[in-house]
Amino acid sequence: MMAYGSCRMVATILIIAIFFHEPCIAETPPNYTFMHEAINAPKISFYDYIVVGGGLTGIPLATTLSQNYSVLLLERGGSPYGNPDITNSANFGNYFLDPSPDSPAELFMSEDGVGNARPRVLGGGTSINAGLYTRDDKKFFKEARLTDEKLVNSSYEFLEKVMVFEPVVTEWQSAWKGAFMEAGVTPYNGFTYDYLIGTKVGGTTFDENGKRHTAADLLQYANPLALSVYLRATVRKVLFMTKGRTRPMAYGVVFEDASGNKHRAYLKEGKGEIILSAGPLGSPQLLMLSGVGPKDQLDAHQIELVLNQPLVGQGMADNPLNAIFIPSPIPVEQSIVQVIGTQVGSQIEQVSSINLVLGSPSDYQGFSYEMGGFVFSKLDGPFSTGELKLQSGNPTDIPSVKFNYFKDPRDLKKCVNGISTILTAIESRAFSKFKYANMTAQDILELTVKLPTYLPIHANTSLSLEQFCKDTVRSVWQFHGGCQIGKVVDDDYKVIGADTLRVIDGSTLLNAPANLLMLGRYMGLTILAQRLESDKSESGLWFTS
């Protein structure tokens, strides 16, 4: 894994790290009586279900399962509550400059040389991202094997009533409605959560007071007598029973608290399961550390082989993002993503009056980030994929990952189309008041490529949109893969070749989802239904006509 260089290079990981200047919002943390520091966990405990990872899928999953069964939820990070950098929009993004082990954002550099970050906090990405909310398209439902449309919709509604709001659209954002329409990003769909081709106003997880709402808010629906949540709990491995069995069976986990003390949690006798929801880096890494993965990698790190599964860690992908800075002749309000332009292959979003790349005043070449904004194209898919490998046998070490941005020429074509749409929208009548009349698209590109980036800029990069895409690529933190459905897990997210073990998170997906929260709720309800059917069948109460 590549290391960071200068402070500026660290800072450029702020894809949408926006610093507002609003008054801080006072917050009263919820009284979750079932949430504790892992240092207070018993040395040995037993549960019906053990969920590893308190993020976008783990929280709704554990919350749902707790309605009928005892559940342990283990999160390696701390609580989002009481941390003003997380909860208050005034401090949005400060955590990306915090390299400490307690930071809610863990920075890393991929082998591609592009900076990235993964959440290390209860609530996962909802505790550190820009708060844009949208539902997924039908293609995602098919790929994720989510066949019950009614259950999909009710799962969305479960979370939307708690943590999603309609934004108050600023003048800068509103100008993009007309700009996108003039550029052919049609129709205009108004305010909606739905994933639709065209222009729309999306949802946000920041309320009108600037307070962030995260997946952790869904814990208010948990059964407090059945759920135990432990923070700063690093799972070292999943325990398997292999003796006398044709297939390994997961029966427990070993986790460490902040002081390095080891704890063991076991499944109760019955039909419980261990469910990994540790994310696209954490879940494949934990499988390998537990002996499930490519034999050559496990042998290299002296990890005992439990199940040779060469596809663990494969299919890693990250959605490329390319941003353009547009200086404005008039003042603009600060804003995060509100208006979205969606076309086949890419989605275009924008922010205003923010030092997106944390450049110095001189980096802006006579202009100022406070008088302007960034508009960026992020690709769907993508087609390009890479792989994840262990760096060591220590779960706190970030694995090595390469995404191979734009390796597939189809991704590069989508990027060029997105950038072309942006340049057309900039020249629109609707956006004209926010653009210098004598500034050409070529001028804007040349200004942009001189801002801080990760990769070396080639000569005349602004003359080729293909080279512009390659040189200015960033991450939008939507990396996925590593435990793909149909390859590492089956259609029910059960690990192929093992018993009582599932993976339910972004690592299973073939394409980046817009919304993982729904998946956690959906699968929680599905598991409850499967368990009820099995129990009825065994008790002789299940009859078929």
Side-chain angles (χ1 to χ4, degrees), residues 1 4 13 75-77 95-96 98 103-109 115-121 124-129 234 277-286 289 316 388 394-401 403 475 477-479:
M1 190 68 65
Y4 279 96
I13 199 166
E75 166 54 44
R76 71 190 186 112
Y95 31 77
F96 290 105
D98 178 7
S103 172
E106 185 176 20
L107 308 181
F108 69 95
M109 186 80 80
N116 215 316
R118 66 168 173 169
R120 181 171 48 196
V121 60
T126 61
S127 294
I128 64 172
N129 65 18
T234 301
S277 297
L281 299 189
S283 288
Q285 178 188 29
L286 185 54
L289 292 177
M316 296 297 299
L388 175 149
N394 188 341
T396 62
D397 290 341
I398 297 178
S400 165
V401 60
F403 297 114
S475 172
W477 316 322
Q478 290 185 335
F479 46 90

Side-chain angles (χ1 to χ4, degrees), residues 483-504:
C483 299
Q484 290 184 318
I485 195 165
K487 298 178 180 179
V488 176
V489 300
D490 65 16
D491 289 3
D492 286 321
Y493 295 84
K494 295 179 180 179
V495 173
I496 298 170
D499 293 329
T500 63
L501 180 64
R502 301 194 201 215
V503 180
I504 304 176

Side-chain angles (χ1 to χ4, degrees), residues 127-448:
S127 294
I128 64 172
N129 65 18
L132 175 65
Y133 177 89
T134 188
R135 294 186 176 190
D136 288 282
D137 61 2
K138 291 185 177 180
K139 178 184 176 183
F140 167 74
F141 304 147
K142 183 177 180 180
E143 290 181 347
R145 315 302 197 260
L146 308 182
T147 58
D148 188 333
E149 186 175 350
K150 184 177 180 180
L151 187 57
V152 165
N153 289 330
S154 68
S155 297
Y156 278 128
E157 292 165 1
F158 170 78
L159 57 100
E160 287 167 355
K161 63 184 179 182
V162 173
M163 52 178 294
V164 189
F165 307 88
E166 180 177 357
V168 178
V169 180
T170 66
E171 187 178 8
W172 162 278
Q173 293 281 337
S174 185
W176 283 99
K177 295 180 189 177
F180 285 148
M181 296 290 286
E182 289 185 51
V185 187
T186 58
Y188 179 62
N189 298 302
F191 168 68
T192 179
Y193 295 152
D194 292 336
Y195 181 95
L196 298 169
I197 294 295
T199 298
K200 74 169 188 176
V201 176
T204 179
T205 56
F206 287 97
D207 65 23
E208 61 183 6
N209 294 316
K211 175 185 175 183
R212 181 196 291 275
H213 294 259
T214 77
D217 292 1
L218 299 175
L219 290 170
Q220 64 187 274
Y221 293 123
N223 179 353
L225 301 179
L227 178 63
S228 295
V229 178
Y230 286 108
L231 305 176
R232 296 180 179 86
T234 301
V235 177
R236 297 200 65 87
K237 66 186 300 186
V238 177
L239 300 172
F240 288 96
M241 187 179 298
T242 58
K243 188 175 181 181
R245 298 184 56 85
T246 57
R247 292 161 54 98
M249 182 180 75
Y251 70 93
V253 299
V254 178
F255 65 95
E256 282 186 357
D257 60 36
S259 296
N261 302 309
K262 286 187 172 60
H263 306 255
R264 289 181 176 241
Y266 299 105
L267 293 177
K268 293 180 180 179
E269 291 186 10
K271 303 170 186 173
E273 294 175 298
I274 294 170
I275 305 171
L276 305 188
S277 297
L281 299 189
S283 288
Q285 178 188 29
L286 185 54
L287 281 180
M288 286 191 269
L289 292 177
S290 304
V292 178
K295 184 178 184 301
D296 58 342
Q297 279 202 59
L298 304 188
D299 289 345
H301 294 284
Q302 298 180 320
I303 298 171
E304 182 179 355
L305 180 69
V306 172
L307 177 64
N308 183 19
Q309 174 45 282
L311 296 178
V312 173
Q314 297 301 304
M316 296 297 299
D318 189 22
N319 298 67
L321 177 147
N322 296 85
I324 294 176
F325 174 65
I326 307 168
S328 171
I330 62 174
V332 297
E333 301 171 86
Q334 279 188 329
S335 67
I336 55 174
V337 179
Q338 297 174 337
V339 175
I340 308 158
T342 302
Q343 55 188 5
V344 175
S346 64
Q347 185 166 292
I348 303 171
E349 304 166 0
Q350 60 287 320
V351 297
S352 58
S353 191
I354 316 155
N355 189 0
L356 187 69
V357 296
L358 290 191
S360 66
S362 61
D363 286 327
Y364 286 91
Q365 305 148 64
F367 299 104
S368 167
Y369 73 87
E370 294 176 324
M371 293 276 287
F374 285 85
V375 57
F376 36 88
S377 172
K378 61 181 186 182
L379 303 192
D380 62 13
F383 292 108
S384 304
T385 62
E387 64 179 339
L388 175 149
K389 294 182 177 181
L390 290 179
Q391 293 223 87
S392 74
N394 188 341
T396 62
D397 290 341
I398 297 178
S400 165
V401 60
K402 188 170 186 178
F403 297 114
N404 288 320
Y405 298 104
F406 300 125
K407 182 178 181 179
D408 190 306
R410 291 174 293 180
D411 290 332
L412 192 58
K413 183 178 180 180
K414 287 191 291 185
C415 178
V416 169
N417 289 341
I419 298 299
S420 297
T421 299
I422 290 173
L423 297 178
T424 300
I426 292 172
E427 299 289 353
S428 68
R429 184 176 61 179
F431 192 72
S432 59
K433 67 184 293 184
F434 292 109
K435 174 186 171 294
Y436 283 96
N438 62 345
M439 201 169 199
T440 66
Q442 180 72 22
D443 295 332
I444 290 172
L445 288 177
E446 290 179 358
L447 170 63
T448 298

Side-chain angles (χ1 to χ4, degrees), residues 507-525:
S507 70
T508 64
L509 303 178
L510 307 180
N511 289 285
N515 191 324
L516 277 171
L517 291 156
M518 178 275 293
L519 177 64
R521 173 66 172 177
Y522 183 104
M523 287 307 301
L525 292 171

